[in-house]
Amino acid sequence: MKSYLAAAIQLTSVPDLHKNLAQAEELIELAVRQGAELVGLPENFSYMGEEKDKLAQGDAIAIESEKFLKKMAQRFQVTILGGSFPLPVDNTGKVYNTTLLIDPNGQELSRYYKVHLFDVDVPDGNTYRESSTVVAGTQLPPVHFSEKLGNLGLSICYDVRFPELYRHLADKGADVIFIPAAFTAFTGKDHWQVLLQARAIENTAYVIAPAQTGNNYARRLTHGHAVIIDPWGVILADAGEKPGIAIAEIKPTRLEQVRRQMPSLQHRVF
């Protein structure tokens, strides 16, 4: 592993696939121009809209999203995490909430189907039933082992509230953990940052958290603040509340320093 720049992209994705992909391409290019070698997109980067509309366009969204990720990775010669997009599941009428990790040759390195589905009545009056259209994954997320970028662990949004999933990634050797999200504005203001910092600190790993922001459609408001956090819990970059990027350096020397100073993973009893 070497030192390199990583970018967490922040979007306001809407119910328009091609508009979203154009916005994502613009920000990927901006990140690459600033030197990023690892780029993460948020959850639902290619489409955010009513569930019935998402399902109706499911095949097109899935095909175009995967094609886009491979094209961008090849064009800019970077590794890209496609935060998530819907992938239709045969004979169910539903989709997997799917994240893909793509290498600079446009080859798939790893994929993960979100296991924790957001079925929550938020105190702001909004109700979310992700399970009404999404099939939960049945496998714990993978860690991709990269000599150049470090060991990259995957997860998606609501997973962040389940620390056992991240301990699994730590046990598998994760150095960098992706948490792409479309966090609600209401819960985000209180929980987003502290949860991300906790996952970084307790697993002594970098966290790259791309995010959705603003008014995506109807009453769907997302929190923003895409961030990159170091293994000590220090916020290295924050994209704020508008579409943009958070970019920061991932340093193996910092990982080694923190893990030496706070060897908590070695002291586990359970």
mmCIF file of all heavy atoms in Angstrom, residues 96-133:
data_model
loop_
_atom_site.group_PDB
_atom_site.id
_atom_site.type_symbol
_atom_site.label_atom_id
_atom_site.label_comp_id
_atom_site.label_asym_id
_atom_site.label_seq_id
_atom_site.Cartn_x
_atom_site.Cartn_y
_atom_site.Cartn_z
ATOM 1 N N TYR A 96 -31.856 -5.907 -5.798
ATOM 2 C CA TYR A 96 -30.812 -5.808 -4.786
ATOM 3 C C TYR A 96 -30.308 -4.365 -4.777
ATOM 4 O O TYR A 96 -30.157 -3.754 -5.841
ATOM 5 C CB TYR A 96 -29.614 -6.708 -5.112
ATOM 6 C CG TYR A 96 -29.805 -8.174 -4.857
ATOM 7 C CD1 TYR A 96 -29.542 -9.100 -5.868
ATOM 8 C CD2 TYR A 96 -30.197 -8.649 -3.606
ATOM 9 C CE1 TYR A 96 -29.677 -10.463 -5.644
ATOM 10 C CE2 TYR A 96 -30.343 -10.010 -3.384
ATOM 11 C CZ TYR A 96 -30.082 -10.909 -4.404
ATOM 12 O OH TYR A 96 -30.226 -12.252 -4.178
ATOM 13 N N ASN A 97 -30.017 -3.838 -3.600
ATOM 14 C CA ASN A 97 -29.308 -2.559 -3.482
ATOM 15 C C ASN A 97 -27.824 -2.923 -3.572
ATOM 16 O O ASN A 97 -27.252 -3.474 -2.635
ATOM 17 C CB ASN A 97 -29.650 -1.895 -2.148
ATOM 18 C CG ASN A 97 -29.164 -0.456 -2.070
ATOM 19 O OD1 ASN A 97 -28.277 -0.044 -2.808
ATOM 20 N ND2 ASN A 97 -29.741 0.306 -1.151
ATOM 21 N N THR A 98 -27.226 -2.616 -4.718
ATOM 22 C CA THR A 98 -25.958 -3.221 -5.125
ATOM 23 C C THR A 98 -24.830 -2.204 -5.224
ATOM 24 O O THR A 98 -25.002 -1.126 -5.804
ATOM 25 C CB THR A 98 -26.131 -3.868 -6.518
ATOM 26 O OG1 THR A 98 -27.266 -4.733 -6.494
ATOM 27 C CG2 THR A 98 -24.894 -4.623 -6.938
ATOM 28 N N THR A 99 -23.670 -2.549 -4.678
ATOM 29 C CA THR A 99 -22.480 -1.718 -4.866
ATOM 30 C C THR A 99 -21.421 -2.538 -5.601
ATOM 31 O O THR A 99 -21.264 -3.733 -5.347
ATOM 32 C CB THR A 99 -21.933 -1.178 -3.532
ATOM 33 O OG1 THR A 99 -20.913 -0.216 -3.797
ATOM 34 C CG2 THR A 99 -21.376 -2.257 -2.641
ATOM 35 N N LEU A 100 -20.722 -1.869 -6.522
ATOM 36 C CA LEU A 100 -19.654 -2.505 -7.294
ATOM 37 C C LEU A 100 -18.351 -1.745 -7.128
ATOM 38 O O LEU A 100 -18.351 -0.508 -7.095
ATOM 39 C CB LEU A 100 -19.986 -2.522 -8.794
ATOM 40 C CG LEU A 100 -21.180 -3.325 -9.284
ATOM 41 C CD1 LEU A 100 -21.249 -3.249 -10.808
ATOM 42 C CD2 LEU A 100 -21.080 -4.772 -8.837
ATOM 43 N N LEU A 101 -17.252 -2.472 -7.040
ATOM 44 C CA LEU A 101 -15.913 -1.890 -7.040
ATOM 45 C C LEU A 101 -15.267 -2.269 -8.370
ATOM 46 O O LEU A 101 -15.166 -3.455 -8.698
ATOM 47 C CB LEU A 101 -15.092 -2.423 -5.870
ATOM 48 C CG LEU A 101 -13.705 -1.803 -5.659
ATOM 49 C CD1 LEU A 101 -13.823 -0.332 -5.251
ATOM 50 C CD2 LEU A 101 -12.928 -2.579 -4.601
ATOM 51 N N ILE A 102 -14.851 -1.242 -9.134
ATOM 52 C CA ILE A 102 -14.356 -1.432 -10.496
ATOM 53 C C ILE A 102 -12.918 -0.929 -10.604
ATOM 54 O O ILE A 102 -12.608 0.166 -10.121
ATOM 55 C CB ILE A 102 -15.233 -0.669 -11.511
ATOM 56 C CG1 ILE A 102 -16.716 -1.045 -11.353
ATOM 57 C CG2 ILE A 102 -14.758 -0.914 -12.936
ATOM 58 C CD1 ILE A 102 -17.047 -2.466 -11.695
ATOM 59 N N ASP A 103 -12.053 -1.710 -11.262
ATOM 60 C CA ASP A 103 -10.649 -1.302 -11.381
ATOM 61 C C ASP A 103 -10.415 -0.444 -12.629
ATOM 62 O O ASP A 103 -11.327 -0.267 -13.449
ATOM 63 C CB ASP A 103 -9.723 -2.523 -11.335
ATOM 64 C CG ASP A 103 -9.671 -3.317 -12.636
ATOM 65 O OD1 ASP A 103 -10.259 -2.893 -13.655
ATOM 66 O OD2 ASP A 103 -9.018 -4.382 -12.639
ATOM 67 N N PRO A 104 -9.213 0.130 -12.789
ATOM 68 C CA PRO A 104 -8.950 1.037 -13.911
ATOM 69 C C PRO A 104 -9.064 0.397 -15.293
ATOM 70 O O PRO A 104 -9.128 1.111 -16.300
ATOM 71 C CB PRO A 104 -7.511 1.514 -13.647
ATOM 72 C CG PRO A 104 -7.339 1.396 -12.170
ATOM 73 C CD PRO A 104 -8.094 0.162 -11.813
ATOM 74 N N ASN A 105 -9.109 -0.938 -15.350
ATOM 75 C CA ASN A 105 -9.307 -1.625 -16.626
ATOM 76 C C ASN A 105 -10.784 -1.877 -16.915
ATOM 77 O O ASN A 105 -11.133 -2.490 -17.925
ATOM 78 C CB ASN A 105 -8.553 -2.957 -16.639
ATOM 79 C CG ASN A 105 -7.056 -2.771 -16.575
ATOM 80 O OD1 ASN A 105 -6.499 -1.914 -17.253
ATOM 81 N ND2 ASN A 105 -6.394 -3.561 -15.738
ATOM 82 N N GLY A 106 -11.649 -1.401 -16.003
ATOM 83 C CA GLY A 106 -13.077 -1.619 -16.175
ATOM 84 C C GLY A 106 -13.541 -2.990 -15.722
ATOM 85 O O GLY A 106 -14.659 -3.416 -16.024
ATOM 86 N N GLN A 107 -12.706 -3.682 -14.957
ATOM 87 C CA GLN A 107 -13.058 -5.009 -14.461
ATOM 88 C C GLN A 107 -13.651 -4.936 -13.051
ATOM 89 O O GLN A 107 -13.183 -4.158 -12.223
ATOM 90 C CB GLN A 107 -11.814 -5.905 -14.431
ATOM 91 C CG GLN A 107 -11.173 -6.113 -15.794
ATOM 92 C CD GLN A 107 -12.103 -6.778 -16.791
ATOM 93 O OE1 GLN A 107 -12.684 -7.825 -16.502
ATOM 94 N NE2 GLN A 107 -12.253 -6.164 -17.959
ATOM 95 N N GLU A 108 -14.655 -5.749 -12.815
ATOM 96 C CA GLU A 108 -15.265 -5.801 -11.488
ATOM 97 C C GLU A 108 -14.323 -6.489 -10.506
ATOM 98 O O GLU A 108 -13.858 -7.598 -10.752
ATOM 99 C CB GLU A 108 -16.590 -6.548 -11.547
ATOM 100 C CG GLU A 108 -17.289 -6.648 -10.207
ATOM 101 C CD GLU A 108 -18.600 -7.416 -10.275
ATOM 102 O OE1 GLU A 108 -19.341 -7.241 -11.266
ATOM 103 O OE2 GLU A 108 -18.871 -8.197 -9.341
ATOM 104 N N LEU A 109 -14.042 -5.806 -9.402
ATOM 105 C CA LEU A 109 -13.191 -6.360 -8.351
ATOM 106 C C LEU A 109 -14.010 -7.024 -7.255
ATOM 107 O O LEU A 109 -13.591 -8.022 -6.665
ATOM 108 C CB LEU A 109 -12.329 -5.253 -7.737
ATOM 109 C CG LEU A 109 -11.338 -4.557 -8.659
ATOM 110 C CD1 LEU A 109 -10.689 -3.376 -7.941
ATOM 111 C CD2 LEU A 109 -10.273 -5.544 -9.128
ATOM 112 N N SER A 110 -15.168 -6.424 -6.964
ATOM 113 C CA SER A 110 -15.955 -6.902 -5.835
ATOM 114 C C SER A 110 -17.372 -6.349 -5.958
ATOM 115 O O SER A 110 -17.587 -5.294 -6.558
ATOM 116 C CB SER A 110 -15.307 -6.422 -4.527
ATOM 117 O OG SER A 110 -15.876 -7.054 -3.420
ATOM 118 N N ARG A 111 -18.337 -7.065 -5.368
ATOM 119 C CA ARG A 111 -19.696 -6.531 -5.301
ATOM 120 C C ARG A 111 -20.326 -6.942 -3.983
ATOM 121 O O ARG A 111 -19.915 -7.916 -3.342
ATOM 122 C CB ARG A 111 -20.552 -6.971 -6.473
ATOM 123 C CG ARG A 111 -21.084 -8.383 -6.452
ATOM 124 C CD ARG A 111 -22.175 -8.589 -7.502
ATOM 125 N NE ARG A 111 -21.770 -8.179 -8.839
ATOM 126 C CZ ARG A 111 -22.631 -7.905 -9.827
ATOM 127 N NH1 ARG A 111 -23.938 -8.022 -9.622
ATOM 128 N NH2 ARG A 111 -22.189 -7.561 -11.021
ATOM 129 N N TYR A 112 -21.340 -6.179 -3.602
ATOM 130 C CA TYR A 112 -22.011 -6.422 -2.316
ATOM 131 C C TYR A 112 -23.469 -6.025 -2.450
ATOM 132 O O TYR A 112 -23.797 -4.978 -3.009
ATOM 133 C CB TYR A 112 -21.327 -5.610 -1.212
ATOM 134 C CG TYR A 112 -22.124 -5.464 0.068
ATOM 135 C CD1 TYR A 112 -22.494 -6.577 0.828
ATOM 136 C CD2 TYR A 112 -22.511 -4.207 0.529
ATOM 137 C CE1 TYR A 112 -23.229 -6.438 2.000
ATOM 138 C CE2 TYR A 112 -23.235 -4.056 1.700
ATOM 139 C CZ TYR A 112 -23.595 -5.181 2.438
ATOM 140 O OH TYR A 112 -24.327 -5.038 3.585
ATOM 141 N N TYR A 113 -24.353 -6.884 -1.937
ATOM 142 C CA TYR A 113 -25.787 -6.597 -1.886
ATOM 143 C C TYR A 113 -26.131 -6.209 -0.443
ATOM 144 O O TYR A 113 -25.914 -6.997 0.482
ATOM 145 C CB TYR A 113 -26.603 -7.817 -2.299
ATOM 146 C CG TYR A 113 -26.281 -8.344 -3.678
ATOM 147 C CD1 TYR A 113 -26.070 -9.710 -3.888
ATOM 148 C CD2 TYR A 113 -26.183 -7.488 -4.778
ATOM 149 C CE1 TYR A 113 -25.788 -10.202 -5.147
ATOM 150 C CE2 TYR A 113 -25.897 -7.973 -6.040
ATOM 151 C CZ TYR A 113 -25.692 -9.328 -6.224
ATOM 152 O OH TYR A 113 -25.398 -9.816 -7.479
ATOM 153 N N LYS A 114 -26.671 -5.033 -0.276
ATOM 154 C CA LYS A 114 -26.967 -4.484 1.058
ATOM 155 C C LYS A 114 -27.803 -5.467 1.886
ATOM 156 O O LYS A 114 -28.846 -5.951 1.441
ATOM 157 C CB LYS A 114 -27.723 -3.164 0.882
ATOM 158 C CG LYS A 114 -27.996 -2.389 2.168
ATOM 159 C CD LYS A 114 -28.726 -1.097 1.821
ATOM 160 C CE LYS A 114 -28.975 -0.225 3.036
ATOM 161 N NZ LYS A 114 -29.794 0.966 2.672
ATOM 162 N N VAL A 115 -27.333 -5.743 3.092
ATOM 163 C CA VAL A 115 -28.017 -6.727 3.941
ATOM 164 C C VAL A 115 -29.003 -6.092 4.926
ATOM 165 O O VAL A 115 -30.010 -6.710 5.288
ATOM 166 C CB VAL A 115 -27.011 -7.619 4.714
ATOM 167 C CG1 VAL A 115 -26.159 -8.422 3.758
ATOM 168 C CG2 VAL A 115 -26.139 -6.803 5.653
ATOM 169 N N HIS A 116 -28.731 -4.878 5.375
ATOM 170 C CA HIS A 116 -29.624 -4.207 6.331
ATOM 171 C C HIS A 116 -30.520 -3.227 5.578
ATOM 172 O O HIS A 116 -30.022 -2.254 5.001
ATOM 173 C CB HIS A 116 -28.820 -3.445 7.387
ATOM 174 C CG HIS A 116 -27.983 -4.326 8.252
ATOM 175 N ND1 HIS A 116 -26.601 -4.368 8.151
ATOM 176 C CD2 HIS A 116 -28.310 -5.218 9.213
ATOM 177 C CE1 HIS A 116 -26.130 -5.235 9.044
ATOM 178 N NE2 HIS A 116 -27.143 -5.766 9.691
ATOM 179 N N LEU A 117 -31.815 -3.466 5.590
ATOM 180 C CA LEU A 117 -32.747 -2.633 4.833
ATOM 181 C C LEU A 117 -33.425 -1.615 5.748
ATOM 182 O O LEU A 117 -33.799 -1.918 6.883
ATOM 183 C CB LEU A 117 -33.790 -3.506 4.138
ATOM 184 C CG LEU A 117 -33.214 -4.572 3.187
ATOM 185 C CD1 LEU A 117 -34.337 -5.298 2.459
ATOM 186 C CD2 LEU A 117 -32.227 -3.967 2.192
ATOM 187 N N PHE A 118 -33.595 -0.416 5.220
ATOM 188 C CA PHE A 118 -34.059 0.733 6.000
ATOM 189 C C PHE A 118 -35.589 0.745 6.063
ATOM 190 O O PHE A 118 -36.262 1.348 5.221
ATOM 191 C CB PHE A 118 -33.519 2.014 5.363
ATOM 192 C CG PHE A 118 -33.687 3.250 6.208
ATOM 193 C CD1 PHE A 118 -33.135 3.337 7.478
ATOM 194 C CD2 PHE A 118 -34.372 4.350 5.724
ATOM 195 C CE1 PHE A 118 -33.272 4.479 8.255
ATOM 196 C CE2 PHE A 118 -34.521 5.509 6.485
ATOM 197 C CZ PHE A 118 -33.968 5.570 7.749
ATOM 198 N N ASP A 119 -36.143 0.062 7.050
ATOM 199 C CA ASP A 119 -37.589 0.046 7.298
ATOM 200 C C ASP A 119 -37.847 0.816 8.592
ATOM 201 O O ASP A 119 -37.883 0.239 9.685
ATOM 202 C CB ASP A 119 -38.094 -1.394 7.436
ATOM 203 C CG ASP A 119 -38.085 -2.155 6.130
ATOM 204 O OD1 ASP A 119 -37.742 -1.554 5.092
ATOM 205 O OD2 ASP A 119 -38.430 -3.350 6.135
ATOM 206 N N VAL A 120 -38.020 2.120 8.450
ATOM 207 C CA VAL A 120 -38.026 2.993 9.625
ATOM 208 C C VAL A 120 -39.085 4.093 9.481
ATOM 209 O O VAL A 120 -39.257 4.661 8.398
ATOM 210 C CB VAL A 120 -36.635 3.657 9.814
ATOM 211 C CG1 VAL A 120 -36.648 4.623 10.995
ATOM 212 C CG2 VAL A 120 -35.558 2.598 10.031
ATOM 213 N N ASP A 121 -39.772 4.382 10.599
ATOM 214 C CA ASP A 121 -40.645 5.553 10.680
ATOM 215 C C ASP A 121 -39.832 6.677 11.322
ATOM 216 O O ASP A 121 -39.619 6.690 12.538
ATOM 217 C CB ASP A 121 -41.878 5.251 11.529
ATOM 218 C CG ASP A 121 -42.720 4.125 10.936
ATOM 219 O OD1 ASP A 121 -42.904 4.122 9.707
ATOM 220 O OD2 ASP A 121 -43.186 3.258 11.703
ATOM 221 N N VAL A 122 -39.370 7.601 10.495
ATOM 222 C CA VAL A 122 -38.511 8.681 10.987
ATOM 223 C C VAL A 122 -39.377 9.720 11.702
ATOM 224 O O VAL A 122 -40.495 10.010 11.263
ATOM 225 C CB VAL A 122 -37.737 9.316 9.811
ATOM 226 C CG1 VAL A 122 -36.868 10.458 10.283
ATOM 227 C CG2 VAL A 122 -36.874 8.253 9.132
ATOM 228 N N PRO A 123 -38.889 10.296 12.815
ATOM 229 C CA PRO A 123 -39.696 11.245 13.583
ATOM 230 C C PRO A 123 -40.139 12.499 12.822
ATOM 231 O O PRO A 123 -40.993 13.247 13.306
ATOM 232 C CB PRO A 123 -38.759 11.625 14.743
ATOM 233 C CG PRO A 123 -37.878 10.441 14.911
ATOM 234 C CD PRO A 123 -37.645 9.931 13.527
ATOM 235 N N ASP A 124 -39.572 12.750 11.638
ATOM 236 C CA ASP A 124 -40.011 13.931 10.884
ATOM 237 C C ASP A 124 -41.299 13.673 10.113
ATOM 238 O O ASP A 124 -41.789 14.543 9.390
ATOM 239 C CB ASP A 124 -38.918 14.402 9.918
ATOM 240 C CG ASP A 124 -38.594 13.384 8.826
ATOM 241 O OD1 ASP A 124 -39.186 12.288 8.834
ATOM 242 O OD2 ASP A 124 -37.748 13.691 7.968
ATOM 243 N N GLY A 125 -41.869 12.461 10.261
ATOM 244 C CA GLY A 125 -43.127 12.141 9.603
ATOM 245 C C GLY A 125 -42.969 11.281 8.370
ATOM 246 O O GLY A 125 -43.963 10.760 7.839
ATOM 247 N N ASN A 126 -41.759 11.106 7.891
ATOM 248 C CA ASN A 126 -41.520 10.256 6.730
ATOM 249 C C ASN A 126 -41.396 8.791 7.139
ATOM 250 O O ASN A 126 -40.834 8.478 8.190
ATOM 251 C CB ASN A 126 -40.245 10.683 5.999
ATOM 252 C CG ASN A 126 -40.448 11.942 5.172
ATOM 253 O OD1 ASN A 126 -41.478 12.107 4.530
ATOM 254 N ND2 ASN A 126 -39.468 12.825 5.178
ATOM 255 N N THR A 127 -41.918 7.923 6.302
ATOM 256 C CA THR A 127 -41.829 6.480 6.517
ATOM 257 C C THR A 127 -41.057 5.861 5.370
ATOM 258 O O THR A 127 -41.300 6.177 4.202
ATOM 259 C CB THR A 127 -43.231 5.850 6.599
ATOM 260 O OG1 THR A 127 -43.880 6.326 7.785
ATOM 261 C CG2 THR A 127 -43.148 4.334 6.661
ATOM 262 N N TYR A 128 -40.110 4.996 5.710
ATOM 263 C CA TYR A 128 -39.296 4.323 4.702
ATOM 264 C C TYR A 128 -39.463 2.818 4.869
ATOM 265 O O TYR A 128 -39.355 2.296 5.976
ATOM 266 C CB TYR A 128 -37.823 4.711 4.857
ATOM 267 C CG TYR A 128 -37.589 6.200 4.730
ATOM 268 C CD1 TYR A 128 -37.644 7.032 5.852
ATOM 269 C CD2 TYR A 128 -37.342 6.784 3.501
ATOM 270 C CE1 TYR A 128 -37.446 8.395 5.745
ATOM 271 C CE2 TYR A 128 -37.144 8.153 3.371
ATOM 272 C CZ TYR A 128 -37.197 8.957 4.494
ATOM 273 O OH TYR A 128 -37.008 10.316 4.386
ATOM 274 N N ARG A 129 -39.737 2.127 3.749
ATOM 275 C CA ARG A 129 -39.863 0.673 3.751
ATOM 276 C C ARG A 129 -39.025 0.123 2.608
ATOM 277 O O ARG A 129 -39.552 -0.272 1.569
ATOM 278 C CB ARG A 129 -41.337 0.261 3.603
ATOM 279 C CG ARG A 129 -42.198 0.563 4.806
ATOM 280 C CD ARG A 129 -41.869 -0.336 6.001
ATOM 281 N NE ARG A 129 -42.687 -0.020 7.165
ATOM 282 C CZ ARG A 129 -42.340 0.846 8.105
ATOM 283 N NH1 ARG A 129 -41.187 1.490 8.017
ATOM 284 N NH2 ARG A 129 -43.123 1.077 9.136
ATOM 285 N N GLU A 130 -37.712 0.106 2.808
ATOM 286 C CA GLU A 130 -36.829 -0.348 1.747
ATOM 287 C C GLU A 130 -37.152 -1.784 1.338
ATOM 288 O O GLU A 130 -37.044 -2.148 0.160
ATOM 289 C CB GLU A 130 -35.367 -0.227 2.183
ATOM 290 C CG GLU A 130 -34.378 -0.467 1.061
ATOM 291 C CD GLU A 130 -32.938 -0.195 1.456
ATOM 292 O OE1 GLU A 130 -32.641 -0.072 2.665
ATOM 293 O OE2 GLU A 130 -32.101 -0.120 0.533
ATOM 294 N N SER A 131 -37.594 -2.590 2.297
ATOM 295 C CA SER A 131 -37.858 -3.998 2.005
ATOM 296 C C SER A 131 -39.052 -4.198 1.075
ATOM 297 O O SER A 131 -39.247 -5.293 0.544
ATOM 298 C CB SER A 131 -38.085 -4.781 3.299
ATOM 299 O OG SER A 131 -39.258 -4.325 3.951
ATOM 300 N N SER A 132 -39.852 -3.148 0.859
ATOM 301 C CA SER A 132 -40.994 -3.284 -0.038
ATOM 302 C C SER A 132 -40.543 -3.451 -1.488
ATOM 303 O O SER A 132 -41.287 -3.998 -2.314
ATOM 304 C CB SER A 132 -41.923 -2.073 0.082
ATOM 305 O OG SER A 132 -41.299 -0.899 -0.420
ATOM 306 N N THR A 133 -39.343 -2.999 -1.801
ATOM 307 C CA THR A 133 -38.847 -3.109 -3.181
ATOM 308 C C THR A 133 -37.462 -3.738 -3.276
ATOM 309 O O THR A 133 -36.982 -3.989 -4.377
ATOM 310 C CB THR A 133 -38.784 -1.720 -3.850
ATOM 311 O OG1 THR A 133 -37.927 -0.863 -3.081
ATOM 312 C CG2 THR A 133 -40.159 -1.094 -3.953
#
